[in-house]
């Protein structure tokens, strides 16, 4: 587009601030416009609870109880690997998931967010990043553990996803948001979260404080690997927001 300008000695002189303004605008623009969050093991510290209830669930649904040492070894496997190791029949999975969701609802008052998560959610929103949440857990449990302040920062919830059904939920959330898939990051702690993000064509940021151990997550090649909530903010927020 041609724009008519003022004639005279200033007309052909470049504005020395023009390029700087464009550069500053780029620096203040976050790399992602939408972060799609996982809940268990990403926002909420639920692995100790999971390890505590797992033996009773195993007895109820007829799969093998893991030993204490084996529980730790399972954290290096994806969900299908865990199922094979424990002898979980695939057809039982929906029933097991429904039962565990009921246990989580029963015990929700004893579940808590990881330290630093409330601050992270607030900083991401203040930095202009929209938040959504996709979880296999129930929305009422998720909201109760988050609390009203944190829950209010998340603009879209897609809960009750099947254990291997997150890819469809990711795609639906992105379509509803209107954000380009290239500006979306899925944040999670399990290899199945990474696989779902890949199937949906989305970048994945792995957090190492949840269910799956860091080396296993790193070997899968996520776009980002985060050791702390503070590291998430440092990577996703533009400099001006990080300094705030």
């Amino acid at each position: 587009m041609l724009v008519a300008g003022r004639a005279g000695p200033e007309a052909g002189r470049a504005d020395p601030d023009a390029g700087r303004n464009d550069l500053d605008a780029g620096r203040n623009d976050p790399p992602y416009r939408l972060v799609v969050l996982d809940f268990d093991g990403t926002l909420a510290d639920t692995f100790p609870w999971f390890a505590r209830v797992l033996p009773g669930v195993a007895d109820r649904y007829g799969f093998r109880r893991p030993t204490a040492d084996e529980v730790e070894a399972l954290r290096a496997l994806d969900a299908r690997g865990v199922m094979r190791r424990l002898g979980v029949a695939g057809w039982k999975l929906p029933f097991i998931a429904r039962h565990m969701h009921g246990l989580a609802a029963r015990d929700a008052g004893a579940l808590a967010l990881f330290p630093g998560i409330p601050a992270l959610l607030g900083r991401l929103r203040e930095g202009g990043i929209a938040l959504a949440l996709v979880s296999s857990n129930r929305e009422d449990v998720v909201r109760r553990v988050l609390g009203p302040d944190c829950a209010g920062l998340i603009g879209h919830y897609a809960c009750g996803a099947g254990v291997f059904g997150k890819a469809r939920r990711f795609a639906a959330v992105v379509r509803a948001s209107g954000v380009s898939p290239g500006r979306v990051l899925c944040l999670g702690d399990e290899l199945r979260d990474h696989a779902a993000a890949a199937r949906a064509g989305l970048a994945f940021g792995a957090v190492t404080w949840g269910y799956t151990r860091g080396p296993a997550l790193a070997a899968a090649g996520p776009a980002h690997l985060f050791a702390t909530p503070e590291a998430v903010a440092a990577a996703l927020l533009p400099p001006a927001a990080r300094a705030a």
Side-chain angles (χ1 to χ4, degrees), residues 33 43 61 70 73 139 150 154 164:
R33 287 294 187 183
L43 303 184
Y61 289 98
E70 196 174 16
E139 185 172 342
C150 287
I154 297 171
F164 300 110

Side-chain angles (χ1 to χ4, degrees), residues 134 136 161-170 192 196 199:
V134 173
S136 300
V163 173
F164 300 110
K166 280 193 168 183
R168 291 190 299 274
R169 298 296 183 100
F170 285 158
R192 68 185 176 102
R199 286 196 297 274

Side-chain angles (χ1 to χ4, degrees), residues 8-149:
E10 301 293 330
R13 186 177 300 171
D15 181 355
D17 292 326
R20 185 181 304 121
N21 291 340
D22 290 344
L23 183 60
D24 289 344
R27 286 175 176 169
N28 290 323
D29 191 26
Y32 300 103
R33 287 294 187 183
L34 173 66
V35 172
V36 184
L37 304 157
D38 173 52
F39 178 71
D40 288 283
T42 300
L43 303 184
D45 185 9
T46 58
F47 185 80
W49 168 86
F50 172 81
R52 188 169 64 251
V53 302
L54 184 59
V57 177
D59 292 346
R60 181 184 180 100
Y61 289 98
F63 60 89
R64 188 171 59 79
R65 279 188 175 212
T67 65
D69 290 341
E70 196 174 16
V71 168
E72 187 60 29
L74 294 176
R75 302 179 79 172
L77 303 178
D78 64 9
R80 295 189 190 279
V82 172
M83 290 172 63
R84 286 192 296 270
R85 180 74 65 87
L86 299 183
V88 178
W91 67 268
K92 292 183 179 181
L93 196 57
F95 303 100
I96 295 169
R98 188 178 304 118
H99 177 65
M100 294 200 72
H101 294 162
L103 296 179
R106 180 197 68 189
D107 298 337
L111 304 178
L113 302 179
F114 286 104
I117 290 299
L120 172 63
L121 298 180
R123 292 184 67 191
L124 293 179
R125 286 298 299 121
E126 290 170 5
I129 299 173
L131 302 177
L133 186 144
V134 173
S135 175
S136 300
N137 215 325
R138 287 170 25 183
E139 185 172 342
D140 61 319
V141 174
V142 170
R143 286 182 175 274
R144 183 176 174 189
V145 177
L146 284 171
D149 291 340

Side-chain angles (χ1 to χ4, degrees), residues 217-234:
L217 292 166
H224 305 273
L225 188 68
F226 300 118
T228 65
E230 292 75 20
V232 177

